[in-house]
mmCIF file of all heavy atoms in Angstrom:
data_model
loop_
_atom_site.group_PDB
_atom_site.id
_atom_site.type_symbol
_atom_site.label_atom_id
_atom_site.label_comp_id
_atom_site.label_asym_id
_atom_site.label_seq_id
_atom_site.Cartn_x
_atom_site.Cartn_y
_atom_site.Cartn_z
ATOM 1 N N MET A 224 -20.629 13.509 33.974
ATOM 2 C CA MET A 224 -19.259 13.000 34.043
ATOM 3 C C MET A 224 -18.406 14.001 34.849
ATOM 4 O O MET A 224 -18.520 15.182 34.666
ATOM 5 C CB MET A 224 -18.709 12.866 32.626
ATOM 6 C CG MET A 224 -17.452 12.084 32.563
ATOM 7 S SD MET A 224 -16.769 11.784 30.893
ATOM 8 C CE MET A 224 -18.096 11.198 29.951
ATOM 9 N N SER A 225 -17.588 13.467 35.683
ATOM 10 C CA SER A 225 -16.808 14.368 36.574
ATOM 11 C C SER A 225 -15.708 15.084 35.806
ATOM 12 O O SER A 225 -15.233 14.599 34.791
ATOM 13 C CB SER A 225 -16.202 13.534 37.725
ATOM 14 O OG SER A 225 -15.053 12.837 37.291
ATOM 15 N N ALA A 226 -15.325 16.258 36.330
ATOM 16 C CA ALA A 226 -14.273 17.023 35.685
ATOM 17 C C ALA A 226 -12.961 16.244 35.643
ATOM 18 O O ALA A 226 -12.221 16.371 34.675
ATOM 19 C CB ALA A 226 -14.084 18.335 36.455
ATOM 20 N N ALA A 227 -12.683 15.478 36.677
ATOM 21 C CA ALA A 227 -11.448 14.688 36.710
ATOM 22 C C ALA A 227 -11.412 13.613 35.612
ATOM 23 O O ALA A 227 -10.409 13.421 34.921
ATOM 24 C CB ALA A 227 -11.250 14.036 38.073
ATOM 25 N N LEU A 228 -12.562 12.956 35.398
ATOM 26 C CA LEU A 228 -12.630 11.948 34.352
ATOM 27 C C LEU A 228 -12.505 12.574 32.958
ATOM 28 O O LEU A 228 -11.833 12.047 32.095
ATOM 29 C CB LEU A 228 -13.959 11.160 34.465
ATOM 30 C CG LEU A 228 -14.167 10.058 33.437
ATOM 31 C CD1 LEU A 228 -13.041 9.022 33.556
ATOM 32 C CD2 LEU A 228 -15.494 9.374 33.675
ATOM 33 N N ILE A 229 -13.150 13.710 32.782
ATOM 34 C CA ILE A 229 -13.041 14.430 31.492
ATOM 35 C C ILE A 229 -11.574 14.833 31.244
ATOM 36 O O ILE A 229 -11.073 14.645 30.129
ATOM 37 C CB ILE A 229 -13.969 15.680 31.460
ATOM 38 C CG1 ILE A 229 -15.431 15.231 31.461
ATOM 39 C CG2 ILE A 229 -13.693 16.545 30.244
ATOM 40 C CD1 ILE A 229 -16.405 16.352 31.704
ATOM 41 N N ALA A 230 -10.924 15.354 32.244
ATOM 42 C CA ALA A 230 -9.524 15.770 32.125
ATOM 43 C C ALA A 230 -8.678 14.552 31.775
ATOM 44 O O ALA A 230 -7.784 14.626 30.875
ATOM 45 C CB ALA A 230 -9.026 16.428 33.403
ATOM 46 N N TRP A 231 -8.896 13.446 32.435
ATOM 47 C CA TRP A 231 -8.161 12.223 32.192
ATOM 48 C C TRP A 231 -8.317 11.762 30.762
ATOM 49 O O TRP A 231 -7.358 11.412 30.048
ATOM 50 C CB TRP A 231 -8.535 11.139 33.198
ATOM 51 C CG TRP A 231 -7.864 9.824 32.930
ATOM 52 C CD1 TRP A 231 -6.555 9.529 33.278
ATOM 53 C CD2 TRP A 231 -8.403 8.675 32.279
ATOM 54 N NE1 TRP A 231 -6.289 8.219 32.856
ATOM 55 C CE2 TRP A 231 -7.392 7.691 32.260
ATOM 56 C CE3 TRP A 231 -9.630 8.405 31.743
ATOM 57 C CZ2 TRP A 231 -7.601 6.436 31.698
ATOM 58 C CZ3 TRP A 231 -9.825 7.143 31.181
ATOM 59 C CH2 TRP A 231 -8.847 6.179 31.170
ATOM 60 N N LEU A 232 -9.600 11.733 30.274
ATOM 61 C CA LEU A 232 -9.873 11.314 28.883
ATOM 62 C C LEU A 232 -9.166 12.263 27.887
ATOM 63 O O LEU A 232 -8.643 11.846 26.879
ATOM 64 C CB LEU A 232 -11.357 11.285 28.625
ATOM 65 C CG LEU A 232 -12.133 10.175 29.329
ATOM 66 C CD1 LEU A 232 -13.650 10.370 29.190
ATOM 67 C CD2 LEU A 232 -11.702 8.800 28.778
ATOM 68 N N HIS A 233 -9.166 13.545 28.230
ATOM 69 C CA HIS A 233 -8.495 14.533 27.374
ATOM 70 C C HIS A 233 -7.007 14.240 27.291
ATOM 71 O O HIS A 233 -6.404 14.220 26.220
ATOM 72 C CB HIS A 233 -8.736 15.936 27.969
ATOM 73 C CG HIS A 233 -8.267 17.033 27.089
ATOM 74 N ND1 HIS A 233 -8.848 17.306 25.871
ATOM 75 C CD2 HIS A 233 -7.335 18.022 27.295
ATOM 76 C CE1 HIS A 233 -8.275 18.406 25.315
ATOM 77 N NE2 HIS A 233 -7.346 18.806 26.175
ATOM 78 N N TYR A 234 -6.374 13.962 28.420
ATOM 79 C CA TYR A 234 -4.918 13.645 28.453
ATOM 80 C C TYR A 234 -4.635 12.356 27.715
ATOM 81 O O TYR A 234 -3.612 12.279 27.017
ATOM 82 C CB TYR A 234 -4.422 13.575 29.880
ATOM 83 C CG TYR A 234 -4.512 14.891 30.639
ATOM 84 C CD1 TYR A 234 -4.780 14.865 32.009
ATOM 85 C CD2 TYR A 234 -4.332 16.123 30.012
ATOM 86 C CE1 TYR A 234 -4.918 16.066 32.692
ATOM 87 C CE2 TYR A 234 -4.453 17.334 30.710
ATOM 88 C CZ TYR A 234 -4.768 17.267 32.048
ATOM 89 O OH TYR A 234 -4.855 18.476 32.753
ATOM 90 N N VAL A 235 -5.481 11.329 27.904
ATOM 91 C CA VAL A 235 -5.255 10.076 27.187
ATOM 92 C C VAL A 235 -5.372 10.288 25.674
ATOM 93 O O VAL A 235 -4.509 9.798 24.914
ATOM 94 C CB VAL A 235 -6.273 8.975 27.639
ATOM 95 C CG1 VAL A 235 -6.265 7.771 26.724
ATOM 96 C CG2 VAL A 235 -5.974 8.597 29.093
ATOM 97 N N ALA A 236 -6.359 11.034 25.222
ATOM 98 C CA ALA A 236 -6.508 11.329 23.798
ATOM 99 C C ALA A 236 -5.290 12.096 23.279
ATOM 100 O O ALA A 236 -4.814 11.841 22.170
ATOM 101 C CB ALA A 236 -7.803 12.122 23.560
ATOM 102 N N LEU A 237 -4.794 13.041 24.062
ATOM 103 C CA LEU A 237 -3.592 13.793 23.682
ATOM 104 C C LEU A 237 -2.397 12.828 23.515
ATOM 105 O O LEU A 237 -1.621 12.977 22.552
ATOM 106 C CB LEU A 237 -3.274 14.870 24.712
ATOM 107 C CG LEU A 237 -4.186 16.097 24.659
ATOM 108 C CD1 LEU A 237 -4.015 16.927 25.919
ATOM 109 C CD2 LEU A 237 -3.942 16.919 23.433
ATOM 110 N N CYS A 238 -2.233 11.947 24.470
ATOM 111 C CA CYS A 238 -1.102 10.984 24.414
ATOM 112 C C CYS A 238 -1.237 10.074 23.214
ATOM 113 O O CYS A 238 -0.212 9.840 22.524
ATOM 114 C CB CYS A 238 -1.063 10.139 25.696
ATOM 115 S SG CYS A 238 -0.560 11.065 27.157
ATOM 116 N N VAL A 239 -2.452 9.594 22.914
ATOM 117 C CA VAL A 239 -2.619 8.761 21.740
ATOM 118 C C VAL A 239 -2.330 9.547 20.483
ATOM 119 O O VAL A 239 -1.621 9.065 19.576
ATOM 120 C CB VAL A 239 -4.056 8.183 21.683
ATOM 121 C CG1 VAL A 239 -4.372 7.527 20.361
ATOM 122 C CG2 VAL A 239 -4.281 7.191 22.832
ATOM 123 N N LEU A 240 -2.829 10.780 20.393
ATOM 124 C CA LEU A 240 -2.593 11.615 19.210
ATOM 125 C C LEU A 240 -1.123 11.787 18.973
ATOM 126 O O LEU A 240 -0.598 11.557 17.842
ATOM 127 C CB LEU A 240 -3.266 12.967 19.406
ATOM 128 C CG LEU A 240 -3.310 13.883 18.180
ATOM 129 C CD1 LEU A 240 -4.590 14.648 18.184
ATOM 130 C CD2 LEU A 240 -2.146 14.812 18.170
ATOM 131 N N PHE A 241 -0.335 12.190 19.978
ATOM 132 C CA PHE A 241 1.096 12.405 19.804
ATOM 133 C C PHE A 241 1.800 11.075 19.459
ATOM 134 O O PHE A 241 2.692 11.033 18.605
ATOM 135 C CB PHE A 241 1.708 13.054 21.005
ATOM 136 C CG PHE A 241 3.102 13.536 20.751
ATOM 137 C CD1 PHE A 241 3.308 14.622 19.892
ATOM 138 C CD2 PHE A 241 4.182 12.935 21.311
ATOM 139 C CE1 PHE A 241 4.604 15.064 19.644
ATOM 140 C CE2 PHE A 241 5.493 13.381 21.054
ATOM 141 C CZ PHE A 241 5.702 14.450 20.218
ATOM 142 N N SER A 242 1.433 10.012 20.147
ATOM 143 C CA SER A 242 2.064 8.696 19.919
ATOM 144 C C SER A 242 1.885 8.261 18.469
ATOM 145 O O SER A 242 2.811 7.763 17.837
ATOM 146 C CB SER A 242 1.509 7.652 20.848
ATOM 147 O OG SER A 242 1.769 8.013 22.186
ATOM 148 N N VAL A 243 0.681 8.475 17.962
ATOM 149 C CA VAL A 243 0.399 8.032 16.553
ATOM 150 C C VAL A 243 1.187 8.933 15.597
ATOM 151 O O VAL A 243 1.700 8.436 14.591
ATOM 152 C CB VAL A 243 -1.109 8.059 16.256
ATOM 153 C CG1 VAL A 243 -1.417 7.887 14.782
ATOM 154 C CG2 VAL A 243 -1.803 7.012 17.105
ATOM 155 N N LEU A 244 1.267 10.218 15.856
ATOM 156 C CA LEU A 244 2.095 11.095 15.040
ATOM 157 C C LEU A 244 3.542 10.638 14.991
ATOM 158 O O LEU A 244 4.154 10.552 13.902
ATOM 159 C CB LEU A 244 2.053 12.542 15.510
ATOM 160 C CG LEU A 244 0.919 13.402 15.076
ATOM 161 C CD1 LEU A 244 0.965 14.755 15.794
ATOM 162 C CD2 LEU A 244 0.955 13.585 13.577
ATOM 163 N N VAL A 245 4.084 10.287 16.158
ATOM 164 C CA VAL A 245 5.469 9.793 16.225
ATOM 165 C C VAL A 245 5.605 8.482 15.437
ATOM 166 O O VAL A 245 6.550 8.286 14.671
ATOM 167 C CB VAL A 245 5.940 9.684 17.663
ATOM 168 C CG1 VAL A 245 7.258 8.930 17.758
ATOM 169 C CG2 VAL A 245 6.026 11.039 18.361
ATOM 170 N N ALA A 246 4.631 7.577 15.635
ATOM 171 C CA ALA A 246 4.674 6.301 14.937
ATOM 172 C C ALA A 246 4.607 6.475 13.426
ATOM 173 O O ALA A 246 5.363 5.856 12.684
ATOM 174 C CB ALA A 246 3.516 5.421 15.384
ATOM 175 N N GLU A 247 3.696 7.358 12.945
ATOM 176 C CA GLU A 247 3.665 7.613 11.504
ATOM 177 C C GLU A 247 4.974 8.183 11.023
ATOM 178 O O GLU A 247 5.455 7.768 9.955
ATOM 179 C CB GLU A 247 2.537 8.630 11.186
ATOM 180 C CG GLU A 247 1.161 8.042 11.154
ATOM 181 C CD GLU A 247 0.107 9.048 10.703
ATOM 182 O OE1 GLU A 247 0.424 10.247 10.516
ATOM 183 O OE2 GLU A 247 -1.027 8.628 10.493
ATOM 184 N N HIS A 248 5.542 9.072 11.780
ATOM 185 C CA HIS A 248 6.824 9.684 11.368
ATOM 186 C C HIS A 248 7.959 8.633 11.273
ATOM 187 O O HIS A 248 8.707 8.601 10.329
ATOM 188 C CB HIS A 248 7.207 10.813 12.333
ATOM 189 C CG HIS A 248 8.477 11.514 11.988
ATOM 190 N ND1 HIS A 248 9.695 11.147 12.547
ATOM 191 C CD2 HIS A 248 8.723 12.512 11.121
ATOM 192 C CE1 HIS A 248 10.617 11.912 12.023
ATOM 193 N NE2 HIS A 248 10.074 12.766 11.182
ATOM 194 N N LEU A 249 8.001 7.784 12.293
ATOM 195 C CA LEU A 249 9.071 6.762 12.318
ATOM 196 C C LEU A 249 8.882 5.706 11.257
ATOM 197 O O LEU A 249 9.868 5.195 10.677
ATOM 198 C CB LEU A 249 9.136 6.123 13.703
ATOM 199 C CG LEU A 249 9.600 7.012 14.830
ATOM 200 C CD1 LEU A 249 9.498 6.301 16.153
ATOM 201 C CD2 LEU A 249 11.038 7.464 14.608
ATOM 202 N N LEU A 250 7.641 5.362 10.974
ATOM 203 C CA LEU A 250 7.378 4.280 9.993
ATOM 204 C C LEU A 250 7.350 4.795 8.571
ATOM 205 O O LEU A 250 7.543 3.994 7.627
ATOM 206 C CB LEU A 250 6.018 3.630 10.283
ATOM 207 C CG LEU A 250 5.948 2.780 11.548
ATOM 208 C CD1 LEU A 250 4.491 2.319 11.781
ATOM 209 C CD2 LEU A 250 6.894 1.557 11.417
ATOM 210 N N PHE A 251 7.144 6.055 8.402
ATOM 211 C CA PHE A 251 6.940 6.599 7.012
ATOM 212 C C PHE A 251 8.123 6.294 6.095
ATOM 213 O O PHE A 251 9.283 6.472 6.492
ATOM 214 C CB PHE A 251 6.681 8.106 7.042
ATOM 215 C CG PHE A 251 6.451 8.665 5.674
ATOM 216 C CD1 PHE A 251 5.230 8.542 5.058
ATOM 217 C CD2 PHE A 251 7.458 9.263 4.972
ATOM 218 C CE1 PHE A 251 5.016 9.028 3.795
ATOM 219 C CE2 PHE A 251 7.265 9.802 3.692
ATOM 220 C CZ PHE A 251 6.037 9.651 3.119
ATOM 221 N N ASP A 252 7.789 5.863 4.929
ATOM 222 C CA ASP A 252 8.747 5.661 3.847
ATOM 223 C C ASP A 252 8.066 6.056 2.568
ATOM 224 O O ASP A 252 6.919 5.664 2.330
ATOM 225 C CB ASP A 252 9.234 4.208 3.788
ATOM 226 C CG ASP A 252 10.402 3.993 2.853
ATOM 227 O OD1 ASP A 252 10.781 4.918 2.132
ATOM 228 O OD2 ASP A 252 10.954 2.881 2.871
ATOM 229 N N ASP A 253 8.719 6.846 1.706
ATOM 230 C CA ASP A 253 8.046 7.272 0.490
ATOM 231 C C ASP A 253 7.798 6.155 -0.495
ATOM 232 O O ASP A 253 6.982 6.256 -1.373
ATOM 233 C CB ASP A 253 8.817 8.456 -0.183
ATOM 234 C CG ASP A 253 10.220 8.113 -0.495
ATOM 235 O OD1 ASP A 253 10.855 7.270 0.218
ATOM 236 O OD2 ASP A 253 10.771 8.671 -1.459
ATOM 237 N N MET A 254 8.494 5.011 -0.342
ATOM 238 C CA MET A 254 8.239 3.822 -1.130
ATOM 239 C C MET A 254 7.743 2.748 -0.182
ATOM 240 O O MET A 254 8.503 1.906 0.286
ATOM 241 C CB MET A 254 9.518 3.357 -1.826
ATOM 242 C CG MET A 254 10.066 4.350 -2.849
ATOM 243 S SD MET A 254 9.016 4.566 -4.279
ATOM 244 C CE MET A 254 9.310 3.046 -5.111
ATOM 245 N N ALA A 255 6.457 2.787 0.108
ATOM 246 C CA ALA A 255 5.893 1.895 1.144
ATOM 247 C C ALA A 255 5.424 0.572 0.540
ATOM 248 O O ALA A 255 4.743 0.549 -0.514
ATOM 249 C CB ALA A 255 4.707 2.572 1.831
ATOM 250 N N SER A 256 5.790 -0.483 1.216
ATOM 251 C CA SER A 256 5.242 -1.783 0.814
ATOM 252 C C SER A 256 3.736 -1.805 1.116
ATOM 253 O O SER A 256 3.220 -0.913 1.776
ATOM 254 C CB SER A 256 5.930 -2.904 1.630
ATOM 255 O OG SER A 256 5.563 -2.779 3.009
ATOM 256 N N ALA A 257 3.047 -2.848 0.622
ATOM 257 C CA ALA A 257 1.615 -2.934 0.873
ATOM 258 C C ALA A 257 1.346 -2.980 2.385
ATOM 259 O O ALA A 257 0.416 -2.310 2.861
ATOM 260 C CB ALA A 257 1.087 -4.167 0.179
ATOM 261 N N ALA A 258 2.142 -3.717 3.127
ATOM 262 C CA ALA A 258 1.929 -3.855 4.557
ATOM 263 C C ALA A 258 2.126 -2.494 5.236
ATOM 264 O O ALA A 258 1.335 -2.096 6.114
ATOM 265 C CB ALA A 258 2.859 -4.900 5.137
#
């Protein structure tokens, strides 16, 4: 696998990781409905 493709996959994974953290933070409620 080329270095450029590995770097790209790394950046995509980083973006997903941060996006999910932000989504969890925004959606979080201490009294969560089932959904």
Side-chain angles (χ1 to χ4, degrees):
M224 193 179 308
S225 78
L228 182 58
I229 293 170
W231 177 77
L232 289 171
H233 189 65
Y234 297 144
V235 168
L237 286 165
C238 289
V239 169
L240 189 146
F241 191 70
S242 298
V243 171
L244 275 174
V245 170
E247 279 186 354
H248 181 264
L249 292 174
L250 290 174
F251 180 80
D252 189 351
D253 57 330
M254 296 293 286
S256 66

